[in-house]
């Protein structure tokens, strides 16, 4: 699903660490439109996804999701205000008529990230964004898979689903995260892709937070954590 912007238009991840100042980042995705409930009823919204230079203990870069935007370039729209910060300039008259959000993908920026506590959960949010200044802008690592690239073969939106067929027969067509062996709990010895959604969510809710507190995770711990992060995206549990 693609869309254009117009002035007329109307689990538990580890959050991105807080930053002491500006860090380099690059926009790696503009998600498809989704129905989002609000005080004004359901709205079509999308998010901008940033990959930053900050890495976790496995060497994988952190990603951070923007708040949901409505596809409007009205002067009062949050999207327009943030586009000005991202690009360092306001939307032109020509862009007010139609702006392709794909033009944002690959755009290098600098961001400041802070944490916000909501109940017993910690969320990362971008408190400042500006165009990249100086040499060596950050380029995408290539490890983040865009939402539209996680589409099912039948064209429906991607979502978590248990892998079909026996593990041995289905292995060549499975994604890497689906092949990861679970080494903890009642499903020990099974591929993560063989688990029902409820079992995967249970690992996200209970095992992953404990893993993040472990100062000396094993190699198996790190592999499972990375695989669960991939599954969490399909369960709509982004780190924002």
């Amino acid at each position: 699903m693609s869309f254009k912007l117009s002035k007329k238009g109307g689990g538990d991840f580890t959050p991105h660490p807080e930053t002491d100042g500006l860090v380099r980042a690059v926009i790696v995705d503009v998600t498809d439109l989704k129905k989002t409930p609000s005080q004004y009823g359901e709205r079509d919204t999308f998010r901008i996804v940033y990959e930053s230079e900050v890495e976790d203990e496995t060497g994988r870069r952190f990603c951070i999701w923007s708040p949901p935007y409505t596809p409007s370039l009205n002067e009062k729209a949050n999207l327009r205000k943030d586009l000005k910060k991202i690009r360092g300039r306001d939307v032109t008259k020509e862009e007010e008529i139609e702006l392709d959000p794909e033009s944002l993908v690959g755009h290098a920026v600098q961001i400041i990230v802070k944490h916000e506590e909501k109940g017993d959960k910690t969320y990362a949010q971008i408190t400042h964004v500006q165009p990249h200044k100086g040499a060596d802008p950050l380029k995408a690592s290539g490890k983040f898979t865009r939402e539209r690239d996680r589409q099912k073969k039948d064209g429906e939106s991607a979502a978590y689903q248990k892998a079909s067929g026996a593990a041995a027969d289905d292995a060549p067509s499975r994604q890497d995260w689906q092949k990861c062996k679970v080494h903890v709990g009642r499903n020990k010895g099974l591929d993560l892709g063989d688990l029902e959604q409820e079992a995967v969510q249970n690992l996200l809710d209970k095992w992953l937070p404990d893993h993040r507190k472990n100062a000396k995770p094993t190699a198996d711990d790190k592999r499972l954590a990375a695989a669960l992060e991939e599954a969490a995206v399909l369960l709509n549990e982004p780190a924002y």
Side-chain angles (χ1 to χ4, degrees):
M1 176 183 175
S2 62
F3 62 99
K4 301 291 184 181
L5 301 176
S6 170
K7 187 174 180 180
K8 301 177 183 177
D12 289 318
F13 258 156
T14 297
H16 189 298
E18 288 190 306
T19 63
D20 293 329
L22 291 168
V23 296
R24 295 178 302 157
V26 58
I27 294 175
V28 291
D29 198 8
V30 176
T31 67
D32 288 336
L33 293 175
K34 293 183 179 178
K35 296 292 184 183
T36 304
S38 73
Q39 59 179 326
Y40 306 108
E42 277 197 336
R43 301 183 301 168
D44 286 326
T45 65
F46 69 96
R47 296 178 187 269
I48 296 174
V49 185
Y50 301 81
E51 181 182 75
S52 88
E53 63 180 318
V54 181
E55 299 179 346
D56 65 15
E57 71 276 6
T58 69
R60 188 183 182 92
R61 290 180 184 172
F62 280 95
C63 287
I64 183 167
W65 277 250
S66 74
Y69 296 113
T70 55
S72 170
L73 292 178
N74 185 279
E75 289 87 348
K76 295 182 179 180
N78 289 331
L79 174 61
R80 181 156 180 168
K81 297 174 183 177
D82 285 354
L83 281 177
K84 186 174 182 178
K85 298 174 185 176
I86 291 168
R87 304 192 303 170
R89 64 172 178 82
D90 198 3
V91 174
T92 66
K93 292 295 183 181
E94 291 76 15
E95 289 173 332
E96 282 184 348
I97 298 172
E98 184 174 273
L99 171 63
D100 187 351
E102 283 296 298
S103 64
L104 296 174
V105 177
H107 187 77
V109 295
Q110 292 172 299
I111 60 175
I112 295 175
V113 178
K114 297 298 181 183
H115 285 175
E116 179 181 0
E117 304 292 333
K118 292 183 179 180
D120 60 349
K121 293 188 177 183
T122 300
Y123 295 90
Q125 59 180 343
I126 296 174
T127 58
H128 177 82
V129 59
Q130 66 182 45
H132 177 83
K133 297 179 179 180
D136 196 23
L138 190 68
K139 295 182 179 180
S141 66
K143 295 182 179 180
F144 178 84
T145 304
R146 296 190 62 184
E147 182 177 278
R148 64 185 54 184
D149 294 331
R150 296 191 296 266
Q151 300 298 295
K152 298 178 185 178
K153 291 181 180 179
D154 61 6
E156 295 178 3
S157 297
Y160 178 83
Q161 60 176 349
K162 180 179 176 181
S164 59
D169 296 332
D170 198 43
S173 64
R174 291 188 176 195
Q175 298 180 45
D176 288 342
W177 70 265
Q178 292 177 312
K179 302 175 188 177
C180 180
K181 290 290 183 185
V182 178
H183 65 290
V184 296
R186 66 180 64 181
N187 294 305
K188 183 177 181 179
L190 296 178
D191 285 358
L192 186 61
D194 288 328
L195 305 190
E196 299 289 350
Q197 179 173 329
E198 182 178 357
V200 175
Q201 189 66 60
N202 188 57
L203 287 169
L204 285 167
D205 292 340
K206 298 180 180 179
W207 180 82
L208 192 56
D210 289 338
H211 159 72
R212 295 304 185 187
K213 299 174 185 176
N214 185 359
K216 297 181 179 180
T218 66
D220 286 338
D221 289 341
K222 292 178 181 178
R223 280 192 289 269
L224 181 58
L228 284 169
E229 289 177 352
E230 293 285 343
V233 174
L234 300 181
L235 287 167
N236 295 315
E237 293 281 350
Y240 59 83

